[in-house]
Amino acid sequence: MEHTIQCLCGAVKMKLIGEPMQCVYCHCDDCQLVHGGAYLPAAMYLTSQAQIVDGDPVRWRLKTTERATCRQCGTRMFAEPAGLGVRSITASLLPEGVFRPAFHMQCQHAVLPIQDELPHFKQYPAIFGGSDERMPW
């Protein structure tokens, strides 16, 4: 399966190859500040599966996570959490049906507990090198 996604103005295009490793809700304080929300829905792809095919996004970091944003319209395209080898694609850019969340992560920074059936990991789950410690919600 292959999808092409783009920023809101179409200046930056990306090719996504295959299925995401995981779809998550990230509650880290970095995502909260950058996206202006309590958490960010994101699809995690291996870096090799998420390729820029057109345009030249601005790369920057607020804290530790490098991010890519369209120079023209400001759309937040993806983040690259240090040491994970993944690109975290902003879920609102994905075609319908691709985002299927599996868990919440970095819940130690959560604004409020989210009550749903998904696991809520305090930091990163084991799949991303974490401890699998869960929040006691």
Side-chain angles (χ1 to χ4, degrees):
M1 181 175 296
E2 187 173 300
H3 299 287
T4 300
I5 62 169
Q6 65 182 28
C7 64
L8 296 176
C9 74
V12 177
K13 293 181 177 65
M14 293 184 70
K15 179 169 59 172
L16 304 177
I17 302 165
E19 296 292 322
M21 291 175 58
Q22 291 289 335
C23 293
V24 306
Y25 293 110
C26 182
H27 294 262
C28 79
D29 53 351
D30 203 16
C31 282
Q32 289 175 16
L33 291 170
V34 167
H35 292 276
Y39 53 86
L40 174 70
M44 309 294 259
Y45 285 85
L46 293 174
T47 304
S48 62
Q49 291 179 275
Q51 305 164 357
I52 298 169
V53 293
D54 195 22
D56 182 26
V58 174
R59 290 179 177 258
W60 57 282
R61 30 179 123 239
L62 178 64
K63 293 183 178 186
T64 59
T65 301
E66 184 173 286
R67 299 177 184 275
T69 301
C70 174
R71 294 174 187 276
Q72 307 301 315
C73 67
T75 300
R76 307 281 194 245
M77 299 294 294
F78 62 86
E80 291 182 341
L84 299 183
V86 299
R87 285 193 169 154
S88 173
I89 307 296
T90 305
S92 62
L93 302 175
L94 299 170
E96 189 173 326
V98 172
F99 183 72
R100 293 178 305 278
F103 54 82
H104 295 258
M105 65 183 193
Q106 297 290 349
C107 292
Q108 65 188 349
H109 302 288
V111 175
L112 289 171
I114 303 290
Q115 301 297 320
D116 63 16
E117 70 285 352
L118 300 175
H120 294 80
F121 295 103
K122 184 174 183 178
Q123 297 175 348
Y124 285 122
I127 190 172
F128 296 126
S131 69
D132 271 351
E133 182 181 354
R134 295 188 186 200
M135 296 300 287
W137 298 336

